Amino acid sequence: MKKALLALIATMLISGCSNTTASNAPISDTATEQNQPHHQVTDQWVGRWTGVEGLFLEISKDDSAGPGHYLLEMQYGLDADQSGTFEGQATAEGISFSREDGQHLLRAGDGEATGMKWLLEKEDCLIVATGEGYCRD
């Protein structure tokens, strides 16, 4: 009987300690950042971004679609048909969007990451792919 009582008390103490430890443990910064909506980062990208030779990217929020949705107005090539407005959505990596030449991910980087010598010195850029990037001064 004493052994059973001691086992019960030990079990209660162990489970009580583990619950107390877990509930009082601080939330790490990494866990907090991972729980933040993706659009908190990409909302900072709203505005005009400049490419080379007249290319540009204009990002605006698509309020009708809800948080994390964007309209991307782009002149992404030198030909007249390489322009348009595309719907984008925030992801953990950037803004995902689709246009005539396929599915793309707009992500943050620097001038070097654009792969274009005219943007090498820039620090605040958005990249679609090597050879297609837009920067802010």
Side-chain angles (χ1 to χ4, degrees):
M1 181 73 168
K2 285 183 181 181
K3 287 183 182 182
L5 184 56
L6 287 174
L8 179 61
I9 292 171
T11 302
M12 289 173 45
L13 287 173
I14 290 171
S15 65
C17 289
S18 65
N19 287 342
T20 303
T21 303
S23 65
N24 290 333
I27 298 173
S28 71
D29 290 338
T30 304
T32 303
E33 290 172 11
Q34 290 173 350
N35 293 332
Q36 291 180 351
H38 303 305
H39 69 87
Q40 288 183 347
V41 172
T42 53
D43 278 357
Q44 297 173 28
W45 298 355
V46 169
R48 190 167 184 89
W49 299 77
T50 306
V52 297
E53 298 185 28
L55 304 184
F56 70 90
L57 165 65
E58 181 84 31
I59 302 174
S60 59
K61 291 182 182 181
D62 186 358
D63 292 327
S64 65
H69 289 81
Y70 304 93
L71 295 174
L72 310 175
E73 181 184 349
M74 308 174 84
Q75 178 70 45
Y76 58 93
L78 298 177
D79 296 335
D81 66 340
Q82 292 179 309
S83 66
T85 301
F86 310 97
E87 296 177 355
Q89 184 170 355
T91 70
E93 295 83 27
I95 297 176
S96 176
F97 69 99
S98 183
R99 62 184 186 204
E100 291 82 12
D101 59 342
Q103 186 67 30
H104 296 281
L105 178 68
L106 187 63
R107 64 193 188 290
D110 59 15
E112 188 174 343
T114 68
M116 294 183 286
K117 66 181 181 180
W118 303 276
L119 301 176
L120 278 177
E121 302 299 318
K122 303 291 184 178
E123 294 182 14
D124 188 16
C125 302
L126 296 176
I127 295 103
V128 175
T130 301
E132 184 182 354
Y134 309 88
C135 301
R136 286 185 172 159
D137 289 324

